Amino acid sequence: MSAPAGSPHPAASTRIPPKLGGAAVSGAAAGPGPAPHQQNGPAQNQMQVPPGYGLHPQNYNVPSGHYSQGPGKTTSLPLDSQSGGYYSGVYTIPTQNVVTPNTANQQSGAQQIYGRGPPAPHIVGSTPGYFQGAASSSSHLHTSASQPYSSFVNHYNSPAMYSANSPAVSQGFPSTCGHYAVSTVSNAAYPSVSYPSLPAGDPYGQQMFTSQNASTIRSVRENSFSGQNTAVSHPSPLPPPPSQQYHQQLSLSGYSPLSWSASGLPSTQDNLIRNHSGSLATANNNPNAVAESSSCPVMQTVQPPESSPVVSTVVSGASSARAPPTANHLVETVASVTQPSELLQQKGMQYGDYVNNQASSAPTPLSSTSDDEEEEEDEEAGVDSSSTTSSASPMPNSYDALEGGSYPDMLSSSASSPAPDPAPESDPAPAPVPAVPQPSKTTKPFGYGYPTLQPGYQNAAAPLSSGVQPSSPVYSGFQPYAQYPGMNQLSSSFGGLSLQSSAQPESLRPVNLTQERNILPMTPVWAPVPNLNLDLKKLNCSPDSFRCTLTNIPQSQVLLNKAKLPLGLLLHPFRDLTQLPVITSNTIVRCRSCRTYINPFVSFIDQRRWKCNLCYRVNDVPEEFMYNPLTRSYGEPHKRPEVQNSTVEFIASSDYMLRPPQPAVYLFVLDVSHNAVEAGYLTILCQSLSENLDKLPGDSRTRIGFVTFDSTIHFYNLQEGLSQPQMLIVSDIDDVFLPTPDSLLVNLYESKELIKDLLNALPNMFINTRETHSALGPALQAAFKLMSPTGGRVSVFQTQLPSLGAGLLQSREDPNQRSSTKVVQHLGPATDFYKKLALDCSGQQTAVDLFLLSSQYSDLASLACMSKYSAGCIYYYPSFHYTHNPSQAEKLQKDLKRYLTRKIGFEAVMRIRCTKGLSMHTFHGNFFVRSTDLLSLANINPDAGFAVQLSIEESLTDTSLVCFQTALLYTSSKGERRIRVHTLCLPVVSSLADVYAGVDVQAAICLLANMAVDRSISSSLSDARDALVNAVVDSLSAYGSTVLNVQHSALIAPTSLKLFPLYVLALLKQKAFRTGTSTRLDDRVYAMCQIKCQPLVHLMKMIHPNLYRIDRLTDEGAIHVNDRVVPQPPLQKLSAEKLTREGAFLMDCGSAFYIWVGKSCDNNFIEDVLGYPNFASIPQKMAHLPELDTLSSERARSFVTWLRDSRPLSPILHVVKDESPAKTEFFQHLIEDRTEAAFSYYEFLLHIQQQICK
Amino acid sequence: MEAVVFVFSLLDCCALIFLSVYFIITLSDLECDYINARSCCSKLNKWVIPELIGHTVVTVLMLVSLHWFIFLLNLPVATWNVYRFIMVPSGNMGVFDPTEIHNRGQLKSHMKEAMIKLGFHLLCFFMYLYSGSRCPG
């Protein structure tokens, strides 16, 4: 029902559908009414739905929106009374719907609606959210925004909105339960009523109510949720419609969320939102409104009032939302599909709404519930992504997932069900649930209802049992516990045991390295899977985000020392995720003593207590946590999304803020000396910036500023109202001051015209400059002063050695020493100026990103400090020139695009915790270590990786599992405080063989590389190289003497370590550590910086490139990506012996692709793929594959595109002809071959063997 | 004259003892997370040179007043102080660098060093007290 309504906004609609589905669970009814409700109604509906849980979700959305408006509306509108009716009606309806739809519809419907809200929610969240429970409400909103749909839907489903609802939940929980019960009951009882409504097809009307309700709700109070509910109650008069409304509302709500987002204003938004459903409808959707109205008279009436206010803000959103309705349905279906896939998606439940409803509805039966939690999924990601990536798409997915499942059901159900609804009540469960996920989860006896949610969360599924609803209050009683303990505890106890039997064989199989000619596997190397039992394996953190060098943790430091392997973690905490459960909750459950976040690896001692897996303290389970929004069940804390996902994101409350979340602030500090103008980077930068100005992550508060410098510093006054940008020159570089501190950083939206003018003018402003000096230091001091009140990101573009003022540097490189095999000096900074500046910046939450575009030595070792300690990033473009070096120019352009639009987190801190007995002692990456385990990150970006070294302080004999948890607290570009938590669980082993069996060789190499960089700087490069060789020698000899117990003359390694010597050799030939080959100091230092801050996946390509033969690509083993067939050629070893003159090879070095074309390469290939008649006619510099209409060209391009899509920075393609001078670039990556200064792989093995035998 | 030398040494030694205690307290504050690395290091770096001068002065005084045993006892510690000060890399912010103090157990080694110095200065304190009390006049 609502779904249809929702259709207006495609995205929203999609989400909504799911919600609906979810709603269906709660109240299948939603299904029927969907379309109408969509707008305002949806939210309300959702709320209502939640009566069960569904309502909660709504609450979320509603709350935010409603709050602001709510109060007024409620009071003013008769609706309240109606709403009451609605609620009841709605509730009932939902249930009914559920019943009829049975299916997901109900569930999804309610929650999904929220989903839609997501966009809006953001906004709302930021502003409106504050009103009420600030955190909760905002979070709700947020969630709603991102996952809004899901949340609604989820309510029922639970997953989506957990946290959001929580506020409500806390109050409502019990009540909610009651409500649930009530609702269910009511459903049954009311069903008849609702049915009527349903038939009416008033969904819209209902929706309207909901919207109104929402507003009323707000008025009610913080309870906005409740308020909403009340609003819902208002509908009561409408009761009959309600049911439909619910659905619709759900859908509407979904829409509404959108509207919210659209409106952007929180308070207004809230109103808007609700309104939006209504008002929006009116504004944009008049048609829709009409439709709705037609369907539901009531609705219409409602809408008007609200709509008007809402409209203003919401309008756009609303309109879109409305349009979607139809679309929504479709979407829903889609969503449904997705849902299954995405477990996470479960939307939060919106108990809060329920509660409100209850309160308001109290009169009526339905409004009882209140708590809720919402969970949302990646939405945030989506939302965030919106800023950086394509948020839109991501969100949909999540929503889809959430909603999708339910929605489809809903649709079907709604379509079919309208009338049937009543009857269905009892049935509901079956149909909806089935949809996707549930099956697995549905373990529970009771119900089906929740199914939708479950899909997302495995847990949810179980709880869902539709039957449950009635019992909902009872839920607590449910079984879950039994399972729980079983899972956690058992798993933990078994964790360590299994290894020996299964895993060891393959990973421990001895390999004679000198006999094995083809050591490199044909397929990419995957991270080893920790030897845990199945349940834990499923729950464990993805190796992409979190890896340990030893997947079997040795029991004691003694054992670790015997193994001679490095122990550490590699993190990629902020990477772009497609799915991420987002949890909005009043209370974030953490261990009281060590502050660990609750995670899948804790054990529940009984229903009320859980034991921390890091410090073993027994903690109480908060009341709010007893309620599972995904399943709408009570007493199943172990089914909550926090406990079902090892990667989750919480929306943090104000407890996690030292100050209000900062806006996104971007400052560009640009070198405009003669050298810079000559290089011509300004043209590219300004063009890229003006293209991406609208995509810069941020909200309406986003600010931007520009500073340029040569021997003086130029500021630009961009204050709104000026006719053109005003340039202010400060020539006193010894004591820099800000000429007009207030107008240098300006609001991006208010001053957009001026900014564009400036970007157009900048490239030509300094074209005739004769100034060759560069006062970088003073410019940075000015930037620091400018940024210190808010914090944010400073992007520095520098093209030469700073030569004036503080921080001036002298050239330290002696070109004659570039290929020295002895000492490489000056790897460390020459001055502490940049370090101090970085620490000052870090203290003011400002990160400095450095773009160094120079043709000469620029002392990157010193300059890099400004980024290293302020958590910035470093880009280096040697020999940059916009015409002479087009490939660098293209690279800059692509890097900038990614840089400007990627997700960003501000004022972040990251804390890494580990099980008692383990301790961290050294951190690698760009940050400042503020205290022993707290990393201060002024900015966090998705391309940043970190490494941590561990030691074992106390014996781990009394535990079989250890856990690591990283918690990243940051402010999103939308001004939300969020916490992303990753938890990794690994078994503890007592035998050396097990330790070797569990080595993650790639992680070990990356950690060693980080350690070697430190060693190079603190000691010397040759020390670092020796240490790398010793790492291989020590570990292999320890393996030989302890595990094999045979003194072989051959070089034996376990399978898990067979690539270790190869990778170490690759490291020794890497730019950072190589000797004897001419390497410019800046190149070397840059390679070291990359080793320090690249995440593992990218670092491995840098260390050991992948080589493929591409002149004979076939579809054998090809994979399908987005309708494209991507061939998967086997990996070739990096040796010239593999290069044949008849072939063409592609080398993937991470930041560059080389295509090497052999002299006698097949002319067909040259013609079909490269587009030239023969080898001789291929130009020396070729950087693109032409788009030719041949099969082989298509294959080659799809393969290259696929490789390219897998990384954030788009690599540049170089076509290298055999015999061209550029081929040395290519050949230096063939690390298995001998060079003048370094061993071949075989020689290296012999060298190691010699060392071992010594 | 002898008495003046020992009274001065005694006072100087008292100051060094207080300084060592201050180092230990500040470092343990950092360990317990009561202060952040930045402020801890700037506090401690301020006192590195006074400590170095204070100790070098006593050492030289002992050499001048021909107290060979006490001079030789002080020499290794004084040398270590100077060496440590000279060997600070150019990019670091002093002996205590906030960006590195949490790495590779540096905090622990600084702590250990401060403890050893405290013990050493206490030993010296009683030695000066004893030597001074035996001085004629």
Side-chain angles (χ1 to χ4, degrees):
Chain A
M1 341 139 104
S2 51
S7 55
H9 302 289
S13 62
T14 51
R15 295 175 182 175
I16 294 175
K19 291 180 176 181
L20 291 174
V25 175
S26 59
H37 297 305
Q38 297 173 347
Q39 305 153 354
N40 304 325
Q44 295 179 354
N45 288 328
Q46 294 174 350
M47 302 290 290
Q48 295 175 353
V49 174
Y53 299 63
L55 292 175
H56 293 308
Q58 293 179 352
N59 292 331
Y60 287 174
N61 300 318
V62 177
S64 57
H66 294 308
Y67 286 152
S68 54
Q69 300 176 350
K73 291 179 180 179
T74 50
T75 55
S76 63
L77 297 176
L79 294 177
D80 292 351
S81 61
Q82 293 179 349
S83 64
Y86 277 94
Y87 287 159
S88 59
V90 176
Y91 282 5
T92 54
I93 293 172
T95 51
Q96 294 175 353
N97 291 329
V98 174
V99 176
T100 33
N102 277 333
T103 62
N105 293 336
Q106 299 173 344
Q107 303 171 349
S108 60
Q111 299 170 353
Q112 292 176 354
I113 294 173
Y114 286 133
R116 279 186 176 171
H122 290 304
I123 302 171
V124 174
S126 58
T127 18
Y130 297 150
F131 297 177
Q132 300 176 340
S136 62
S137 63
S138 62
S139 59
H140 291 310
L141 293 172
H142 293 311
T143 52
S144 61
S146 54
Q147 310 170 343
Y149 294 109
S150 57
S151 62
F152 286 164
V153 177
N154 293 319
H155 298 313
Y156 292 119
N157 295 327
S158 64
M161 320 286 279
Y162 298 0
S163 51
N165 301 318
S166 58
V169 175
S170 60
Q171 298 176 345
F173 243 33
S175 59
T176 43
C177 298
H179 293 302
Y180 282 156
V182 173
S183 61
T184 54
V185 174
S186 62
N187 291 332
Y190 296 128
S192 61
V193 175
S194 58
Y195 288 156
S197 62
L198 291 171
D202 304 82
Y204 290 88
Q206 294 177 353
Q207 293 176 352
M208 296 183 58
F209 285 97
T210 52
S211 62
Q212 295 176 354
N213 294 331
S215 60
T216 52
I217 293 167
R218 294 177 181 173
S219 58
V220 175
R221 64 341 204 12
E222 43 147 14
N223 298 317
S224 39
F225 294 37
S226 60
Q228 296 178 351
N229 294 321
T230 55
V232 175
S233 60
H234 294 319
S236 60
L238 302 176
S243 62
Q244 294 177 349
Q245 290 178 353
Y246 274 150
H247 297 296
Q248 296 175 352
Q249 290 177 350
L250 293 173
S251 60
L252 293 172
S253 61
Y255 293 129
S256 55
L258 293 174
S259 59
W260 295 12
S261 56
S263 59
L265 301 179
S267 59
T268 51
Q269 292 175 349
D270 294 352
N271 297 322
L272 293 173
I273 293 169
R274 302 204 179 124
N275 295 320
H276 58 299
S277 30
S279 60
L280 292 177
T282 57
N284 300 327
N285 311 314
N286 290 335
N288 295 331
V290 173
E292 294 176 353
S293 63
S294 64
S295 60
C296 303
V298 177
M299 293 283 294
Q300 293 177 350
T301 56
V302 174
Q303 291 181 349
E306 294 178 352
S307 62
S308 58
V310 174
V311 174
S312 60
T313 52
V314 181
V315 173
S316 60
S319 61
S320 60
R322 294 173 179 175
T326 52
N328 290 337
H329 291 301
L330 296 175
V331 175
E332 291 176 351
T333 54
V334 175
S336 62
V337 175
T338 54
Q339 288 187 346
S341 62
E342 304 176 356
L343 299 175
L344 303 179
Q345 296 185 343
Q346 329 130 337
K347 304 327 188 62
M349 332 224 106
Q350 305 175 350
Y351 296 79
D353 294 347
Y354 284 87
V355 175
N356 295 322
N357 291 329
Q358 295 177 349
S360 57
S361 60
T364 37
L366 295 177
S367 54
S368 46
T369 46
S370 43
D371 12 340
D372 28 1
E373 297 179 353
E374 301 177 0
E375 280 186 355
E376 299 184 329
E377 305 207 354
D378 301 25
E379 297 1 27
E380 342 156 346
V383 174
D384 297 353
S385 62
S386 61
S387 57
T388 41
T389 55
S390 58
S391 57
S393 59
M395 302 217 2
N397 291 331
S398 52
Y399 289 98
D400 291 86
L402 294 169
E403 302 173 354
S406 49
Y407 213 50
D409 294 350
M410 296 236 355
L411 291 172
S412 59
S413 62
S414 63
S416 59
S417 61
D421 293 358
E425 293 181 352
S426 56
D427 313 358
V433 178
V436 185
Q438 291 186 350
S440 60
K441 295 181 177 180
T442 14
T443 52
K444 300 210 171 178
F446 292 88
Y448 353 35
Y450 302 67
T452 50
L453 294 173
Q454 296 179 352
Y457 297 33
Q458 298 175 346
N459 303 334
L464 293 179
S465 57
S466 59
V468 178
Q469 293 183 347
S471 60
S472 56
V474 182
Y475 281 72
S476 58
F478 276 138
Q479 53 326 353
Y481 289 106
Q483 295 181 351
Y484 223 173
M487 273 196 39
N488 291 316
Q489 299 177 351
L490 291 180
S491 58
S492 62
S493 54
F494 286 57
L497 302 178
S498 51
L499 283 178
Q500 299 160 345
S501 51
S502 58
Q504 294 189 358
E506 180 49 31
S507 57
L508 269 186
R509 186 171 55 83
V511 176
N512 189 333
L513 292 174
T514 48
Q515 305 285 315
E516 189 86 35
R517 264 187 81 71
N518 293 308
I519 201 78
L520 195 71
M522 304 283 268
T523 55
V525 180
W526 300 106
V529 181
N531 193 359
L532 297 165
N533 72 22
L534 263 184
D535 287 336
L536 289 185
K537 256 183 207 168
K538 262 190 268 168
L539 291 173
N540 224 346
C541 195
S542 154
D544 293 336
S545 310
F546 211 151
R547 268 168 99 160
C548 183
T549 56
L550 302 179
T551 55
N552 295 329
I553 303 289
Q555 205 169 47
S556 63
Q557 184 71 37
V558 178
L559 191 60
L560 176 62
N561 291 343
K562 272 191 202 155
K564 306 273 189 196
L565 289 164
L567 175 60
L569 302 171
L570 285 117
L571 308 170
H572 191 184
F574 201 58
R575 88 194 164 91
D576 293 322
L577 292 167
T578 52
Q579 293 187 10
L580 172 69
V582 180
I583 298 170
T584 314
S585 172
N586 254 0
T587 50
I588 295 174
V589 182
R590 301 172 67 178
C591 172
R592 277 172 164 274
S593 73
C594 68
R595 309 301 293 153
T596 298
Y597 295 82
I598 196 164
N599 60 68
F601 312 106
V602 302
S603 40
F604 281 84
I605 293 171
D606 56 37
Q607 276 206 348
R608 290 285 171 181
R609 289 182 301 163
W610 60 279
K611 190 172 172 190
C612 175
N613 52 336
L614 299 197
C615 69
Y616 307 118
R617 182 196 155 102
V618 175
N619 295 276
D620 292 337
V621 176
E623 181 64 34
E624 180 186 339
F625 201 76
M626 296 297 290
Y627 181 79
N628 185 344
L630 284 182
T631 59
R632 303 173 21 184
S633 56
Y634 183 81
E636 297 179 341
H638 60 281
K639 300 283 191 190
R640 298 247 324 181
E642 294 95 318
V643 188
Q644 289 293 320
N645 296 281
S646 57
T647 296
V648 295
E649 189 152 292
F650 294 96
I651 311 276
S653 67
S654 52
D655 299 343
Y656 293 84
M657 302 172 194
L658 294 173
R659 57 173 185 176
Q662 67 164 79
V665 182
Y666 306 109
L667 178 66
F668 293 86
V669 178
L670 312 172
D671 183 0
V672 292
S673 62
H674 177 74
N675 203 22
V677 172
E678 189 63 19
Y681 81 90
L682 275 175
T683 320
I684 296 171
L685 171 68
C686 291
Q687 191 190 348
S688 186
L689 193 53
S690 44
E691 277 168 13
N692 293 302
L693 215 47
D694 295 325
K695 295 184 205 152
L696 282 178
D699 54 17
S700 58
R701 304 176 296 161
T702 306
R703 293 158 73 189
I704 192 168
F706 297 88
V707 172
T708 57
F709 66 94
D710 41 34
S711 63
T712 56
I713 300 170
H714 324 126
F715 297 92
Y716 296 87
N717 183 346
L718 298 167
Q719 193 65 309
E720 194 187 5
L722 291 175
S723 58
Q724 60 177 49
Q726 212 172 43
M727 178 161 142
L728 307 159
I729 301 179
V730 173
S731 54
D732 181 6
I733 56 170
D734 294 327
D735 181 20
V736 186
F737 62 95
L738 302 179
T740 54
D742 297 335
S743 52
L744 300 178
L745 277 176
V746 294
N747 187 291
L748 175 59
Y749 301 99
E750 288 167 3
S751 302
K752 191 169 266 177
E753 287 312 310
L754 284 176
I755 293 165
K756 287 198 164 159
D757 287 350
L758 178 63
L759 289 175
N760 286 334
L762 257 185
N764 300 320
M765 273 165 76
F766 301 93
I767 209 110
N768 296 316
T769 187
R770 286 163 187 273
E771 190 56 72
T772 55
H773 285 295
S774 159
L776 175 65
L780 287 172
Q781 288 171 330
F784 168 67
K785 284 187 183 164
L786 205 49
M787 297 296 281
S788 49
T790 49
R793 181 174 81 187
V794 178
S795 313
V796 177
F797 289 77
Q798 171 71 6
T799 61
Q800 57 176 324
L801 265 182
S803 55
L804 275 183
L808 71 90
L809 297 168
Q810 258 92 43
S811 177
R812 297 188 289 168
E813 185 188 34
D814 175 2
N816 299 324
Q817 296 292 316
R818 277 182 190 164
S819 56
S820 154
T821 52
K822 298 174 210 156
V823 188
V824 179
Q825 286 175 314
H826 309 308
L827 292 171
T831 161
D832 63 359
F833 173 82
Y834 295 99
K835 192 186 256 187
K836 277 184 177 152
L837 185 99
L839 294 183
D840 288 337
C841 285
S842 176
Q844 299 299 326
Q845 307 296 350
T846 305
V848 184
D849 294 341
L850 173 66
F851 288 78
L852 185 62
L853 316 111
S854 69
S855 44
Q856 295 160 4
Y857 175 72
S858 305
D859 202 353
L860 184 60
S862 300
L863 294 179
C865 286
M866 71 170 101
S867 301
K868 265 187 197 167
Y869 302 107
S870 66
C873 45
I874 301 160
Y875 296 88
Y876 176 53
Y877 304 88
S879 317
F880 180 86
H881 194 284
Y882 74 114
T883 50
H884 300 165
N885 197 344
S887 67
Q888 288 286 19
E890 189 191 340
K891 184 162 163 49
L892 174 67
Q893 206 171 5
K894 289 183 170 171
D895 287 358
L896 275 175
K897 180 159 192 260
R898 162 76 182 172
Y899 173 76
L900 293 171
T901 55
R902 72 187 175 190
K903 198 172 156 174
I904 184 170
F906 297 99
E907 44 185 1
V909 290
M910 182 163 78
R911 201 182 281 276
I912 306 166
R913 297 183 173 86
C914 47
T915 296
K916 201 168 72 179
L918 293 170
S919 76
M920 288 155 291
H921 61 88
T922 306
F923 301 88
H924 304 277
N926 290 354
F927 48 70
F928 171 53
V929 188
R930 207 154 69 192
S931 70
T932 43
D933 59 349
L934 184 70
L935 309 184
S936 160
L937 301 156
N939 283 181
I940 177 77
N941 69 69
D943 305 329
F946 303 91
V948 188
Q949 283 172 252
L950 296 168
S951 60
I952 302 170
E953 305 238 300
E954 293 167 36
S955 167
L956 300 168
T957 40
D958 47 359
T959 177
S960 59
L961 292 177
V962 292
C963 290
F964 306 93
Q965 186 173 74
T966 59
L968 176 70
L969 171 65
Y970 68 98
T971 301
S972 76
S973 52
K974 307 286 184 208
E976 286 175 287
R977 215 55 182 143
R978 285 163 173 261
I979 310 165
R980 188 172 290 186
V981 178
H982 301 276
T983 314
L984 177 72
C985 179
L986 297 173
V988 175
V989 296
S990 54
S991 84
L992 208 51
D994 287 337
V995 175
Y996 282 110
V999 180
D1000 181 343
V1001 71
Q1002 292 192 323
I1005 280 294
C1006 292
L1007 187 65
L1008 278 176
N1010 276 297
M1011 293 160 68
V1013 170
D1014 275 1
R1015 180 68 75 91
S1016 312
I1017 295 172
S1018 65
S1019 178
S1020 74
L1021 193 64
S1022 53
D1023 265 14
R1025 289 172 56 88
D1026 291 347
L1028 285 173
V1029 176
N1030 287 339
V1032 186
V1033 172
D1034 290 349
S1035 58
L1036 293 188
S1037 68
Y1039 172 76
S1041 61
T1042 57
V1043 178
L1044 291 180
N1045 268 327
V1046 193
Q1047 290 300 326
H1048 279 289
S1049 56
L1051 190 60
I1052 308 286
T1055 305
S1056 59
L1057 272 178
K1058 68 176 183 180
L1059 294 174
F1060 199 35
L1062 176 64
Y1063 285 155
V1064 167
L1065 179 66
L1067 261 188
L1068 293 175
K1069 294 187 176 183
Q1070 228 283 325
K1071 263 186 190 164
F1073 303 112
R1074 71 186 181 192
T1075 55
T1077 310
S1078 178
T1079 311
R1080 300 194 317 160
L1081 190 53
D1082 277 351
D1083 287 351
R1084 190 187 293 278
V1085 171
Y1086 181 60
M1088 290 184 172
C1089 293
Q1090 285 196 299
I1091 289 175
K1092 281 283 214 168
C1093 65
Q1094 294 255 37
L1096 185 139
V1097 268
H1098 305 138
L1099 185 52
M1100 273 320 293
K1101 291 221 178 65
M1102 201 178 119
I1103 294 172
H1104 189 274
N1106 291 335
L1107 182 67
Y1108 309 91
R1109 177 161 188 176
I1110 57 159
D1111 62 326
R1112 287 185 291 190
L1113 291 177
T1114 64
D1115 283 345
E1116 194 183 325
I1119 56 170
H1120 295 259
V1121 181
N1122 299 336
D1123 298 337
R1124 268 202 332 247
V1125 179
V1126 180
Q1128 299 287 300
L1131 283 178
Q1132 308 279 337
K1133 71 176 187 172
L1134 291 171
S1135 165
E1137 82 182 63
K1138 289 289 176 190
L1139 302 178
T1140 65
R1141 290 189 171 184
E1142 290 78 33
F1145 293 82
L1146 172 75
M1147 183 186 284
D1148 170 9
C1149 303
S1151 58
F1153 289 153
Y1154 296 96
I1155 292 182
W1156 180 86
V1157 185
K1159 226 192 271 181
S1160 350
C1161 181
D1162 188 2
N1163 267 346
N1164 288 334
F1165 175 80
I1166 297 178
E1167 210 168 309
D1168 291 350
V1169 178
L1170 302 178
Y1172 291 94
N1174 53 47
F1175 180 77
S1177 57
I1178 302 174
Q1180 291 289 352
K1181 285 189 178 176
M1182 184 175 169
H1184 292 281
L1185 288 183
E1187 295 203 9
L1188 301 175
D1189 195 19
T1190 61
L1191 184 62
S1192 48
S1193 167
E1194 210 164 278
R1195 280 180 182 152
R1197 279 184 290 114
S1198 80
F1199 181 59
V1200 170
T1201 314
W1202 175 71
L1203 289 176
R1204 203 170 255 173
D1205 289 346
S1206 68
R1207 68 207 73 203
L1209 298 181
S1210 182
I1212 300 301
L1213 181 74
H1214 303 274
V1215 176
V1216 180
K1217 284 167 74 176
D1218 194 12
E1219 288 183 335
S1220 86
K1223 75 172 183 180
T1224 49
E1225 273 288 301
F1226 176 78
F1227 279 98
Q1228 71 179 9
H1229 291 293
L1230 298 175
I1231 53 106
E1232 293 197 29
D1233 291 339
R1234 186 158 188 267
T1235 67
E1236 295 159 20
F1239 291 129
S1240 71
Y1241 177 59
Y1242 187 72
E1243 287 169 330
F1244 183 65
L1245 289 178
L1246 294 181
H1247 174 70
I1248 290 173
Q1249 197 171 355
Q1250 257 177 14
Q1251 297 282 314
I1252 291 177
C1253 294
K1254 261 183 194 171
Chain B
M1 188 59 202
E2 282 281 281
V4 177
V5 167
F6 281 109
V7 168
F8 176 80
S9 302
L10 211 56
L11 291 177
D12 195 86
C13 197
C14 281
L16 289 173
I17 289 172
F18 280 116
L19 211 52
S20 296
V21 172
Y22 175 73
F23 273 52
I24 291 170
I25 292 175
T26 313
L27 287 170
S28 63
D29 275 357
L30 178 64
E31 234 173 5
C32 304
D33 214 357
Y34 294 140
I35 54 175
N36 73 47
R38 186 86 202 274
S39 56
C40 169
C41 291
S42 63
K43 274 180 178 179
L44 297 185
N45 282 330
K46 257 192 303 205
W47 292 103
V48 168
I49 292 183
E51 186 205 13
L52 185 136
I53 293 173
H55 196 249
T56 312
V57 166
V58 181
T59 313
V60 172
L61 196 64
M62 290 303 157
L63 175 65
V64 170
S65 60
L66 302 178
H67 290 91
W68 293 105
F69 176 73
I70 298 178
F71 168 72
L72 289 177
L73 194 68
N74 274 297
L75 192 58
V77 179
T79 313
W80 166 251
N81 278 342
V82 175
Y83 171 81
R84 189 178 63 152
F85 184 74
I86 292 173
M87 291 310 286
V88 172
S90 57
N92 277 16
M93 295 165 66
V95 172
F96 298 89
D97 189 287
T99 60
E100 289 179 9
I101 196 157
H102 285 296
N103 275 4
R104 296 183 294 277
Q106 271 200 21
L107 185 55
K108 276 183 190 156
S109 62
H110 283 307
M111 189 70 131
K112 210 183 290 172
E113 186 186 315
M115 291 287 210
I116 292 171
K117 276 187 188 162
L118 176 64
F120 173 78
H121 291 313
L122 279 175
L123 178 71
C124 287
F125 178 81
F126 289 109
M127 205 182 307
Y128 300 150
L129 199 65
Y130 175 72
S131 308
S133 67
R134 286 184 49 193
C135 288

